[in-house]
Amino acid sequence: MKNSKHSWAEPYKIKMVELLKMTTPAQRKKAMKEAGYNTFLLKSEDVYIDLLTDSGTSAMSDRQWSGMMMGDEAYAGSRNFYHLEKVVQDVYGYKYLIPTHQGRGAENILSKILIKKGDIIPGNMYFTTTRLHQELASGKFEDIIIDEAHDPENEFPFKGNVDLVKLEKLIKKHGAEKIPYVSMATSVNMAGGQPISMKNLKELRALTKKHKIRVIHDMTRVAENAYFIQQREKGYQQKTIREIVKEINSYTDGATMSAKKDALVNIGGFLAVNDWDVFEEARNMVVVYEGLHTYGGLAGRDMEAMAIGIGESINDDHIRARVGQVIYLGEKMMEYGVPIVKPIGGHGIFVDAKKFLPHIRQDQFPAQTLAAEIYLDAGVRTMERGVVSAGRKANGENYFPKLELVRFTIPRRVYTQAHMDVIAESAARVYDRRNSIKGMKMIYEPKYLRFFQAKFEKL
Ligand code: F0G
């Protein structure tokens, strides 16, 4: 037989393994009930394959672990901070660095500095913590992502794009002085890990420059976005991920980063800006909320692991295998007929719960229900990204998002292709018995970010 196949494979081999507990259906039934049908409240011990998130769940390399041993745990001026600062400047191209314990620490500081009461913050789809910090700083988030992003079936290759007409309308309506910045994310998480194109970014830069509005980049998954630009956008096939990442950042004024994703560490984040005034204020404020400006809530060793992880994250072979594994799982699920968000995104597979369980109304939590059923089948832990995650508006009304999804998030460098097969087969089994699945009611609701701790009961 003539071979024409050219598979991707991991550019690493396994040096240490973590043993997993296998559970029985009866054990899972008990565990899920005790967790109030919220996968966030399961004990990780009771989980076989953990796809709750790609945040802080990646496997570090031997080099990163070696870096951990080189931690300089001085209270001030740790050498690991200076290493990290240099990497952020070299790789990402931002001038000033404020480390934070994770992404939301940076969001808190940035929102407090830039947002005044009554301000509008346009963004390419909300993210839970990002929007909440904007609201806590008395701002109002406005969604300016293109309409295609709200349609799971639409195969537009850059569903993370900003709708510039929507943005112009907002500027006209409120005035540019009411818009402190545009909150632009690469690899839009809530849309299914969908990328923004370089063309769109350039246009966004031109429009915001005209109105003197900053662009702040949520660069949590910027390398994955760069990969899609390399694969899909004209003129970028010959460019490296490193070059593309730097070009993306060059159209923005600053960034918040959850390094727990792209940057391959278990904890860490930062705020990076080009503007000295914003930096000065942030450097002062970080002392109040995180720690001194040369550690921001992190140990020296964590900053070292991050500095090394950033370098590994923009390696072309790494990112090809990373996204390749996600696409492998997505294609397998499609073969089984499981409805997923298309095109397949960078960090996970998003199952369309509205299509999967059309008989369950949105106020009976189809995605929450489906995540619970997936766990019950084979011990795979996923996460709701629908009406529970969307939460309530400032006036107390529920947000009812168009997308009602279950996210199968793939940690980086952790699971094998055989795990992907097990996951797809399990989703297919649940799909086969979908008609017998009933919705749920919420019996406990916390005030902030309710999806983390809410509890449910089967109807
Ligand atoms: N921005 C994006 C796009 C994110 O995905 C996250 C976290 C944050 C900001 C906040 O960063 O967790 O370090 O404070 N996302 C995680 C997830 C929680 O599972 O998607 P953090």
PDB file of all heavy atoms in Angstrom, residues 330 332-342 349-352 355-356 370 374 408 423-432:
ATOM      1  N   GLY A 330     -11.688  16.410  17.948  1.00  0.00           N
ATOM      2  CA  GLY A 330     -12.879  17.008  17.340  1.00  0.00           C
ATOM      3  C   GLY A 330     -13.360  16.216  16.139  1.00  0.00           C
ATOM      4  O   GLY A 330     -14.566  15.971  15.974  1.00  0.00           O
ATOM      5  N   LYS A 332     -12.859  13.100  15.507  1.00  0.00           N
ATOM      6  CA  LYS A 332     -13.385  11.816  15.982  1.00  0.00           C
ATOM      7  C   LYS A 332     -14.832  11.996  16.481  1.00  0.00           C
ATOM      8  O   LYS A 332     -15.715  11.173  16.197  1.00  0.00           O
ATOM      9  CB  LYS A 332     -12.480  11.356  17.127  1.00  0.00           C
ATOM     10  CG  LYS A 332     -12.589   9.938  17.465  1.00  0.00           C
ATOM     11  CD  LYS A 332     -11.288   9.161  17.272  1.00  0.00           C
ATOM     12  CE  LYS A 332     -11.606   7.809  16.707  1.00  0.00           C
ATOM     13  NZ  LYS A 332     -10.456   7.087  16.239  1.00  0.00           N
ATOM     14  N   MET A 333     -15.078  13.070  17.199  1.00  0.00           N
ATOM     15  CA  MET A 333     -16.427  13.303  17.710  1.00  0.00           C
ATOM     16  C   MET A 333     -17.409  13.574  16.572  1.00  0.00           C
ATOM     17  O   MET A 333     -18.551  13.110  16.607  1.00  0.00           O
ATOM     18  CB  MET A 333     -16.422  14.440  18.741  1.00  0.00           C
ATOM     19  CG  MET A 333     -15.869  13.926  20.065  1.00  0.00           C
ATOM     20  SD  MET A 333     -15.431  15.120  21.289  1.00  0.00           S
ATOM     21  CE  MET A 333     -16.866  15.598  22.014  1.00  0.00           C
ATOM     22  N   MET A 334     -16.941  14.291  15.568  1.00  0.00           N
ATOM     23  CA  MET A 334     -17.808  14.558  14.409  1.00  0.00           C
ATOM     24  C   MET A 334     -18.157  13.261  13.679  1.00  0.00           C
ATOM     25  O   MET A 334     -19.278  13.090  13.229  1.00  0.00           O
ATOM     26  CB  MET A 334     -17.145  15.554  13.462  1.00  0.00           C
ATOM     27  CG  MET A 334     -17.206  16.979  13.981  1.00  0.00           C
ATOM     28  SD  MET A 334     -16.870  18.218  12.727  1.00  0.00           S
ATOM     29  CE  MET A 334     -15.134  18.184  12.598  1.00  0.00           C
ATOM     30  N   GLU A 335     -17.170  12.346  13.594  1.00  0.00           N
ATOM     31  CA  GLU A 335     -17.435  11.051  12.953  1.00  0.00           C
ATOM     32  C   GLU A 335     -18.594  10.328  13.642  1.00  0.00           C
ATOM     33  O   GLU A 335     -19.377   9.633  13.008  1.00  0.00           O
ATOM     34  CB  GLU A 335     -16.199  10.141  13.031  1.00  0.00           C
ATOM     35  CG  GLU A 335     -15.193  10.368  11.925  1.00  0.00           C
ATOM     36  CD  GLU A 335     -13.869   9.640  12.206  1.00  0.00           C
ATOM     37  OE1 GLU A 335     -13.892   8.536  12.786  1.00  0.00           O
ATOM     38  OE2 GLU A 335     -12.811  10.216  11.852  1.00  0.00           O
ATOM     39  N   TYR A 336     -18.686  10.502  14.965  1.00  0.00           N
ATOM     40  CA  TYR A 336     -19.770   9.867  15.727  1.00  0.00           C
ATOM     41  C   TYR A 336     -21.071  10.671  15.669  1.00  0.00           C
ATOM     42  O   TYR A 336     -22.051  10.300  16.304  1.00  0.00           O
ATOM     43  CB  TYR A 336     -19.362   9.686  17.189  1.00  0.00           C
ATOM     44  CG  TYR A 336     -18.354   8.585  17.437  1.00  0.00           C
ATOM     45  CD1 TYR A 336     -17.111   8.867  17.992  1.00  0.00           C
ATOM     46  CD2 TYR A 336     -18.651   7.256  17.129  1.00  0.00           C
ATOM     47  CE1 TYR A 336     -16.184   7.862  18.233  1.00  0.00           C
ATOM     48  CE2 TYR A 336     -17.726   6.248  17.367  1.00  0.00           C
ATOM     49  CZ  TYR A 336     -16.491   6.554  17.925  1.00  0.00           C
ATOM     50  OH  TYR A 336     -15.588   5.563  18.157  1.00  0.00           O
ATOM     51  N   GLY A 337     -21.031  11.815  15.013  1.00  0.00           N
ATOM     52  CA  GLY A 337     -22.243  12.622  14.876  1.00  0.00           C
ATOM     53  C   GLY A 337     -22.502  13.566  16.043  1.00  0.00           C
ATOM     54  O   GLY A 337     -23.539  14.231  16.097  1.00  0.00           O
ATOM     55  N   VAL A 338     -21.572  13.655  16.969  1.00  0.00           N
ATOM     56  CA  VAL A 338     -21.750  14.554  18.116  1.00  0.00           C
ATOM     57  C   VAL A 338     -21.658  16.008  17.626  1.00  0.00           C
ATOM     58  O   VAL A 338     -20.687  16.354  16.943  1.00  0.00           O
ATOM     59  CB  VAL A 338     -20.663  14.280  19.186  1.00  0.00           C
ATOM     60  CG1 VAL A 338     -20.768  15.261  20.340  1.00  0.00           C
ATOM     61  CG2 VAL A 338     -20.758  12.837  19.688  1.00  0.00           C
ATOM     62  N   PRO A 339     -22.652  16.859  17.937  1.00  0.00           N
ATOM     63  CA  PRO A 339     -22.622  18.236  17.423  1.00  0.00           C
ATOM     64  C   PRO A 339     -21.616  19.112  18.175  1.00  0.00           C
ATOM     65  O   PRO A 339     -21.722  19.280  19.387  1.00  0.00           O
ATOM     66  CB  PRO A 339     -24.058  18.733  17.656  1.00  0.00           C
ATOM     67  CG  PRO A 339     -24.584  17.894  18.776  1.00  0.00           C
ATOM     68  CD  PRO A 339     -23.872  16.580  18.720  1.00  0.00           C
ATOM     69  N   ILE A 340     -20.638  19.641  17.449  1.00  0.00           N
ATOM     70  CA  ILE A 340     -19.612  20.477  18.092  1.00  0.00           C
ATOM     71  C   ILE A 340     -19.509  21.825  17.382  1.00  0.00           C
ATOM     72  O   ILE A 340     -19.981  21.986  16.260  1.00  0.00           O
ATOM     73  CB  ILE A 340     -18.223  19.793  18.093  1.00  0.00           C
ATOM     74  CG1 ILE A 340     -17.670  19.656  16.669  1.00  0.00           C
ATOM     75  CG2 ILE A 340     -18.287  18.430  18.789  1.00  0.00           C
ATOM     76  CD1 ILE A 340     -16.216  19.203  16.620  1.00  0.00           C
ATOM     77  N   VAL A 341     -18.888  22.780  18.076  1.00  0.00           N
ATOM     78  CA  VAL A 341     -18.668  24.095  17.475  1.00  0.00           C
ATOM     79  C   VAL A 341     -17.599  23.963  16.397  1.00  0.00           C
ATOM     80  O   VAL A 341     -16.557  23.351  16.609  1.00  0.00           O
ATOM     81  CB  VAL A 341     -18.201  25.119  18.536  1.00  0.00           C
ATOM     82  CG1 VAL A 341     -17.811  26.442  17.876  1.00  0.00           C
ATOM     83  CG2 VAL A 341     -19.294  25.337  19.572  1.00  0.00           C
ATOM     84  N   LYS A 342     -17.922  24.565  15.245  1.00  0.00           N
ATOM     85  CA  LYS A 342     -16.994  24.526  14.116  1.00  0.00           C
ATOM     86  C   LYS A 342     -16.592  25.940  13.730  1.00  0.00           C
ATOM     87  O   LYS A 342     -17.396  26.842  13.878  1.00  0.00           O
ATOM     88  CB  LYS A 342     -17.672  23.826  12.936  1.00  0.00           C
ATOM     89  CG  LYS A 342     -17.750  22.327  13.153  1.00  0.00           C
ATOM     90  CD  LYS A 342     -18.525  21.663  12.056  1.00  0.00           C
ATOM     91  CE  LYS A 342     -19.820  21.159  12.622  1.00  0.00           C
ATOM     92  NZ  LYS A 342     -20.774  20.624  11.728  1.00  0.00           N
ATOM     93  N   ILE A 349     -12.609  21.047  22.591  1.00  0.00           N
ATOM     94  CA  ILE A 349     -13.784  20.808  21.761  1.00  0.00           C
ATOM     95  C   ILE A 349     -14.988  21.313  22.543  1.00  0.00           C
ATOM     96  O   ILE A 349     -15.147  20.995  23.726  1.00  0.00           O
ATOM     97  CB  ILE A 349     -13.924  19.305  21.457  1.00  0.00           C
ATOM     98  CG1 ILE A 349     -12.674  18.797  20.710  1.00  0.00           C
ATOM     99  CG2 ILE A 349     -15.199  19.023  20.671  1.00  0.00           C
ATOM    100  CD1 ILE A 349     -12.345  19.557  19.438  1.00  0.00           C
ATOM    101  N   PHE A 350     -15.816  22.085  21.867  1.00  0.00           N
ATOM    102  CA  PHE A 350     -16.994  22.654  22.516  1.00  0.00           C
ATOM    103  C   PHE A 350     -18.224  21.963  21.929  1.00  0.00           C
ATOM    104  O   PHE A 350     -18.537  22.140  20.754  1.00  0.00           O
ATOM    105  CB  PHE A 350     -17.051  24.159  22.286  1.00  0.00           C
ATOM    106  CG  PHE A 350     -15.978  24.930  23.030  1.00  0.00           C
ATOM    107  CD1 PHE A 350     -14.633  24.791  22.703  1.00  0.00           C
ATOM    108  CD2 PHE A 350     -16.313  25.783  24.060  1.00  0.00           C
ATOM    109  CE1 PHE A 350     -13.647  25.488  23.397  1.00  0.00           C
ATOM    110  CE2 PHE A 350     -15.341  26.478  24.762  1.00  0.00           C
ATOM    111  CZ  PHE A 350     -14.002  26.335  24.421  1.00  0.00           C
ATOM    112  N   VAL A 351     -18.905  21.179  22.748  1.00  0.00           N
ATOM    113  CA  VAL A 351     -20.080  20.456  22.274  1.00  0.00           C
ATOM    114  C   VAL A 351     -21.299  21.366  22.394  1.00  0.00           C
ATOM    115  O   VAL A 351     -21.481  22.061  23.400  1.00  0.00           O
ATOM    116  CB  VAL A 351     -20.272  19.146  23.068  1.00  0.00           C
ATOM    117  CG1 VAL A 351     -21.600  18.501  22.738  1.00  0.00           C
ATOM    118  CG2 VAL A 351     -19.122  18.186  22.765  1.00  0.00           C
ATOM    119  N   ASP A 352     -22.110  21.381  21.354  1.00  0.00           N
ATOM    120  CA  ASP A 352     -23.292  22.231  21.298  1.00  0.00           C
ATOM    121  C   ASP A 352     -24.434  21.539  22.051  1.00  0.00           C
ATOM    122  O   ASP A 352     -25.102  20.658  21.516  1.00  0.00           O
ATOM    123  CB  ASP A 352     -23.655  22.456  19.819  1.00  0.00           C
ATOM    124  CG  ASP A 352     -24.817  23.418  19.650  1.00  0.00           C
ATOM    125  OD1 ASP A 352     -25.466  23.756  20.656  1.00  0.00           O
ATOM    126  OD2 ASP A 352     -25.062  23.822  18.501  1.00  0.00           O
ATOM    127  N   LYS A 355     -28.051  21.602  20.637  1.00  0.00           N
ATOM    128  CA  LYS A 355     -28.316  20.629  19.574  1.00  0.00           C
ATOM    129  C   LYS A 355     -28.309  19.200  20.100  1.00  0.00           C
ATOM    130  O   LYS A 355     -29.027  18.336  19.593  1.00  0.00           O
ATOM    131  CB  LYS A 355     -27.238  20.749  18.490  1.00  0.00           C
ATOM    132  CG  LYS A 355     -27.700  21.580  17.323  1.00  0.00           C
ATOM    133  CD  LYS A 355     -26.784  21.429  16.167  1.00  0.00           C
ATOM    134  CE  LYS A 355     -27.529  20.916  14.949  1.00  0.00           C
ATOM    135  NZ  LYS A 355     -26.647  20.945  13.768  1.00  0.00           N
ATOM    136  N   PHE A 356     -27.466  18.977  21.089  1.00  0.00           N
ATOM    137  CA  PHE A 356     -27.328  17.644  21.680  1.00  0.00           C
ATOM    138  C   PHE A 356     -28.599  17.278  22.442  1.00  0.00           C
ATOM    139  O   PHE A 356     -29.117  16.163  22.324  1.00  0.00           O
ATOM    140  CB  PHE A 356     -26.118  17.674  22.632  1.00  0.00           C
ATOM    141  CG  PHE A 356     -25.532  16.347  23.006  1.00  0.00           C
ATOM    142  CD1 PHE A 356     -24.235  16.000  22.612  1.00  0.00           C
ATOM    143  CD2 PHE A 356     -26.233  15.451  23.796  1.00  0.00           C
ATOM    144  CE1 PHE A 356     -23.663  14.783  22.980  1.00  0.00           C
ATOM    145  CE2 PHE A 356     -25.663  14.234  24.175  1.00  0.00           C
ATOM    146  CZ  PHE A 356     -24.385  13.908  23.774  1.00  0.00           C
ATOM    147  N   LEU A 370     -25.479  18.092  30.528  1.00  0.00           N
ATOM    148  CA  LEU A 370     -24.657  17.250  29.662  1.00  0.00           C
ATOM    149  C   LEU A 370     -23.282  16.984  30.285  1.00  0.00           C
ATOM    150  O   LEU A 370     -22.768  15.855  30.235  1.00  0.00           O
ATOM    151  CB  LEU A 370     -24.518  17.915  28.279  1.00  0.00           C
ATOM    152  CG  LEU A 370     -23.728  17.145  27.239  1.00  0.00           C
ATOM    153  CD1 LEU A 370     -24.251  15.732  27.055  1.00  0.00           C
ATOM    154  CD2 LEU A 370     -23.754  17.888  25.900  1.00  0.00           C
ATOM    155  N   ILE A 374     -21.754  13.265  30.938  1.00  0.00           N
ATOM    156  CA  ILE A 374     -20.461  12.842  30.374  1.00  0.00           C
ATOM    157  C   ILE A 374     -19.589  12.251  31.486  1.00  0.00           C
ATOM    158  O   ILE A 374     -18.946  11.217  31.316  1.00  0.00           O
ATOM    159  CB  ILE A 374     -19.735  14.045  29.696  1.00  0.00           C
ATOM    160  CG1 ILE A 374     -20.524  14.560  28.498  1.00  0.00           C
ATOM    161  CG2 ILE A 374     -18.284  13.700  29.340  1.00  0.00           C
ATOM    162  CD1 ILE A 374     -20.364  13.789  27.226  1.00  0.00           C
ATOM    163  N   PHE A 408     -14.750  20.517  26.362  1.00  0.00           N
ATOM    164  CA  PHE A 408     -13.796  19.438  26.598  1.00  0.00           C
ATOM    165  C   PHE A 408     -12.413  20.073  26.401  1.00  0.00           C
ATOM    166  O   PHE A 408     -11.908  20.126  25.273  1.00  0.00           O
ATOM    167  CB  PHE A 408     -13.982  18.303  25.578  1.00  0.00           C
ATOM    168  CG  PHE A 408     -15.252  17.505  25.717  1.00  0.00           C
ATOM    169  CD1 PHE A 408     -16.498  18.101  25.613  1.00  0.00           C
ATOM    170  CD2 PHE A 408     -15.196  16.128  25.936  1.00  0.00           C
ATOM    171  CE1 PHE A 408     -17.665  17.345  25.724  1.00  0.00           C
ATOM    172  CE2 PHE A 408     -16.352  15.368  26.056  1.00  0.00           C
ATOM    173  CZ  PHE A 408     -17.596  15.980  25.946  1.00  0.00           C
ATOM    174  N   ILE A 423     -12.356   9.406  25.136  1.00  0.00           N
ATOM    175  CA  ILE A 423     -13.234  10.566  25.335  1.00  0.00           C
ATOM    176  C   ILE A 423     -14.317  10.605  24.245  1.00  0.00           C
ATOM    177  O   ILE A 423     -15.509  10.763  24.526  1.00  0.00           O
ATOM    178  CB  ILE A 423     -12.411  11.874  25.292  1.00  0.00           C
ATOM    179  CG1 ILE A 423     -11.407  11.912  26.447  1.00  0.00           C
ATOM    180  CG2 ILE A 423     -13.315  13.095  25.317  1.00  0.00           C
ATOM    181  CD1 ILE A 423     -10.233  12.881  26.212  1.00  0.00           C
ATOM    182  N   ALA A 424     -13.884  10.449  22.987  1.00  0.00           N
ATOM    183  CA  ALA A 424     -14.836  10.529  21.872  1.00  0.00           C
ATOM    184  C   ALA A 424     -15.860   9.397  21.958  1.00  0.00           C
ATOM    185  O   ALA A 424     -17.067   9.608  21.739  1.00  0.00           O
ATOM    186  CB  ALA A 424     -14.084  10.475  20.542  1.00  0.00           C
ATOM    187  N   GLU A 425     -15.391   8.207  22.312  1.00  0.00           N
ATOM    188  CA  GLU A 425     -16.319   7.061  22.423  1.00  0.00           C
ATOM    189  C   GLU A 425     -17.345   7.306  23.529  1.00  0.00           C
ATOM    190  O   GLU A 425     -18.527   6.984  23.388  1.00  0.00           O
ATOM    191  CB  GLU A 425     -15.532   5.777  22.726  1.00  0.00           C
ATOM    192  CG  GLU A 425     -14.731   5.284  21.528  1.00  0.00           C
ATOM    193  CD  GLU A 425     -13.593   4.328  21.926  1.00  0.00           C
ATOM    194  OE1 GLU A 425     -13.623   3.773  23.050  1.00  0.00           O
ATOM    195  OE2 GLU A 425     -12.670   4.153  21.110  1.00  0.00           O
ATOM    196  N   SER A 426     -16.891   7.892  24.637  1.00  0.00           N
ATOM    197  CA  SER A 426     -17.797   8.165  25.749  1.00  0.00           C
ATOM    198  C   SER A 426     -18.855   9.198  25.341  1.00  0.00           C
ATOM    199  O   SER A 426     -20.048   9.026  25.603  1.00  0.00           O
ATOM    200  CB  SER A 426     -16.991   8.658  26.955  1.00  0.00           C
ATOM    201  OG  SER A 426     -17.857   9.071  27.981  1.00  0.00           O
ATOM    202  N   ALA A 427     -18.421  10.270  24.667  1.00  0.00           N
ATOM    203  CA  ALA A 427     -19.375  11.293  24.217  1.00  0.00           C
ATOM    204  C   ALA A 427     -20.397  10.670  23.272  1.00  0.00           C
ATOM    205  O   ALA A 427     -21.600  10.987  23.323  1.00  0.00           O
ATOM    206  CB  ALA A 427     -18.630  12.430  23.525  1.00  0.00           C
ATOM    207  N   ALA A 428     -19.941   9.750  22.422  1.00  0.00           N
ATOM    208  CA  ALA A 428     -20.845   9.102  21.465  1.00  0.00           C
ATOM    209  C   ALA A 428     -21.878   8.232  22.188  1.00  0.00           C
ATOM    210  O   ALA A 428     -23.044   8.186  21.795  1.00  0.00           O
ATOM    211  CB  ALA A 428     -20.031   8.260  20.481  1.00  0.00           C
ATOM    212  N   ARG A 429     -21.451   7.550  23.254  1.00  0.00           N
ATOM    213  CA  ARG A 429     -22.406   6.721  24.011  1.00  0.00           C
ATOM    214  C   ARG A 429     -23.498   7.587  24.644  1.00  0.00           C
ATOM    215  O   ARG A 429     -24.672   7.249  24.610  1.00  0.00           O
ATOM    216  CB  ARG A 429     -21.675   5.951  25.122  1.00  0.00           C
ATOM    217  CG  ARG A 429     -21.087   4.629  24.683  1.00  0.00           C
ATOM    218  CD  ARG A 429     -20.696   3.784  25.890  1.00  0.00           C
ATOM    219  NE  ARG A 429     -19.729   4.452  26.747  1.00  0.00           N
ATOM    220  CZ  ARG A 429     -18.397   4.398  26.556  1.00  0.00           C
ATOM    221  NH1 ARG A 429     -17.892   3.715  25.564  1.00  0.00           N
ATOM    222  NH2 ARG A 429     -17.588   5.035  27.380  1.00  0.00           N
ATOM    223  N   VAL A 430     -23.090   8.727  25.209  1.00  0.00           N
ATOM    224  CA  VAL A 430     -24.082   9.625  25.817  1.00  0.00           C
ATOM    225  C   VAL A 430     -25.016  10.165  24.727  1.00  0.00           C
ATOM    226  O   VAL A 430     -26.228  10.284  24.933  1.00  0.00           O
ATOM    227  CB  VAL A 430     -23.390  10.783  26.591  1.00  0.00           C
ATOM    228  CG1 VAL A 430     -24.421  11.750  27.158  1.00  0.00           C
ATOM    229  CG2 VAL A 430     -22.511  10.219  27.713  1.00  0.00           C
ATOM    230  N   TYR A 431     -24.438  10.451  23.556  1.00  0.00           N
ATOM    231  CA  TYR A 431     -25.257  10.960  22.445  1.00  0.00           C
ATOM    232  C   TYR A 431     -26.322   9.928  22.055  1.00  0.00           C
ATOM    233  O   TYR A 431     -27.471  10.281  21.774  1.00  0.00           O
ATOM    234  CB  TYR A 431     -24.350  11.291  21.258  1.00  0.00           C
ATOM    235  CG  TYR A 431     -25.056  12.062  20.168  1.00  0.00           C
ATOM    236  CD1 TYR A 431     -25.665  13.287  20.429  1.00  0.00           C
ATOM    237  CD2 TYR A 431     -25.108  11.572  18.856  1.00  0.00           C
ATOM    238  CE1 TYR A 431     -26.309  14.002  19.431  1.00  0.00           C
ATOM    239  CE2 TYR A 431     -25.752  12.285  17.849  1.00  0.00           C
ATOM    240  CZ  TYR A 431     -26.350  13.494  18.147  1.00  0.00           C
ATOM    241  OH  TYR A 431     -26.996  14.192  17.159  1.00  0.00           O
ATOM    242  N   ASP A 432     -25.952   8.648  22.063  1.00  0.00           N
ATOM    243  CA  ASP A 432     -26.892   7.592  21.690  1.00  0.00           C
ATOM    244  C   ASP A 432     -28.094   7.524  22.633  1.00  0.00           C
ATOM    245  O   ASP A 432     -29.181   7.138  22.220  1.00  0.00           O
ATOM    246  CB  ASP A 432     -26.187   6.224  21.683  1.00  0.00           C
ATOM    247  CG  ASP A 432     -25.269   6.094  20.468  1.00  0.00           C
ATOM    248  OD1 ASP A 432     -25.417   6.911  19.526  1.00  0.00           O
ATOM    249  OD2 ASP A 432     -24.394   5.213  20.474  1.00  0.00           O
TER     250      ASP A 432
END
